[in-house]
Amino acid sequence: MISTTILTIDAGNSRTKWGVFDSAGELKAHGVSLNQELSAVPVAWRACKRAVVSNVAGDAFAKHLNALLQPLAIPVHWVTATAENCGVKNSYSDPQQLGTDRWAALIAAWQHYHAPCVVANAGTALTVDALGVDKKTGHGIFLGGLILPGFNLMQTSLIKAAPSLAGGSGSMQNFPANTGDALHTGALSAMAGAVESVVIKLQQREAGAPRCIVSGGDAMRLADALNASAIVNNVVIADNLVLQGLIELEREIA
């Protein structure tokens, strides 16, 4: 049983998302902040009885978060990926090496659909993970996934290496005819192509089209590119996928 009023924190590479859930698992308050701007405890945190945290922002930010949480005097569960939890098996050769945000997102996807899914998080990095069905147990199984630069990182790293490509903002085009559009379309096409490749492989394994669940700051951009694809179907945008997974993990240990 979840303790009343649970704080969930998803500390990513650039932004921290948080949510407050009640004892029924309903999201009652939420927010997002750039990591460098999270300098004070939001008011909604003060009534929480427990906290569960996914942190992929590094040790220094973990210390910063811990300093913010300490005055609340509540139990804090710092999530690590495990070999199996909440009905999902982790196929990573070293299960703890899997990012806790990816692990929580996979668990949320399985708990919601109990079906094959490709789970893509489009943030600073793009992660694309394959969630299948274990043929022996009928449980979920994380088969593996991809990590590549996200939308902004693709463009900025390319411009840094080749300054002549700095062509201003752009948009998605079938045949880009200026540098801004070429960079924009190239980045989104690479991202969509990575998702398509995992969808094809998972579909072959599962003998059916998987759902494609997209989250992160660039979820809408990626979803638009995927909806124009002839390969990907069943695209769903999930705004708080990691937070939902954190609640499932907290429910497991409560």
Side-chain angles (χ1 to χ4, degrees):
M1 188 74 179
I2 313 174
S3 302
T4 302
T5 324
I6 298 295
L7 171 62
T8 59
I9 300 175
D10 170 22
N13 293 301
S14 303
R15 303 187 307 160
T16 294
K17 296 182 72 175
W18 59 267
V20 173
F21 290 80
D22 67 12
S23 58
E26 295 293 326
L27 183 63
K28 294 300 182 182
H30 60 92
V32 61
S33 171
L34 292 173
N35 288 354
Q36 65 267 28
E37 295 178 357
L38 186 61
S39 58
V41 172
V43 173
W45 293 19
R46 295 173 185 167
C48 294
K49 304 301 182 186
R50 295 177 65 86
V52 54
V53 182
S54 163
N55 173 51
V56 298
D59 292 341
F61 194 70
K63 290 179 181 178
H64 175 65
L65 269 181
N66 194 50
L68 288 177
L69 291 168
Q70 273 188 338
L72 301 180
I74 59 175
V76 180
H77 172 203
W78 295 83
V79 168
T80 57
T82 57
E84 189 167 359
N85 212 324
C86 298
V88 181
K89 181 180 178 181
N90 182 353
S91 294
Y92 246 33
S93 53
D94 178 358
Q96 290 191 358
Q97 192 179 34
L98 179 66
T100 53
D101 53 346
R102 295 168 69 191
W103 184 229
L106 287 159
I107 285 171
W110 178 254
Q111 292 296 322
H112 191 76
Y113 292 108
H114 291 282
C117 299
V118 172
V119 181
N121 186 282
T124 303
L126 171 66
T127 58
V128 188
D129 293 323
L131 178 63
V133 178
D134 189 315
K135 293 176 172 56
K136 292 182 180 179
T137 65
H139 294 169
I141 179 169
F142 164 55
L143 299 165
L146 311 178
I147 305 173
L148 58 154
F151 178 77
N152 289 323
L153 188 54
M154 280 194 201
Q155 296 185 87
T156 56
S157 60
L158 189 56
I159 291 170
K160 183 178 180 180
S164 63
L165 292 177
S169 60
S171 60
M172 191 76 171
Q173 302 292 333
N174 288 335
F175 302 102
N178 61 66
T179 301
D181 288 349
L183 286 169
H184 186 105
T185 304
L188 276 179
S189 296
M191 293 168 67
V195 175
E196 288 173 351
S197 71
V198 177
V199 166
I200 290 170
K201 291 167 186 172
L202 187 57
Q203 183 168 328
Q204 290 170 345
R205 181 188 188 273
E206 301 293 336
R211 286 179 174 81
C212 184
I213 304 173
V214 183
S215 62
D218 287 316
M220 187 66 73
R221 279 181 174 143
L222 179 56
D224 286 344
L226 293 172
N227 282 323
S229 167
I231 295 172
V232 181
N233 296 303
N234 303 319
V235 178
V236 178
I237 295 178
D239 290 331
N240 297 300
L241 196 62
V242 174
L243 301 183
Q244 294 287 349
L246 292 176
I247 275 294
E248 294 295 338
L249 286 163
E250 181 66 13
R251 191 193 304 270
E252 191 83 351
I253 67 167

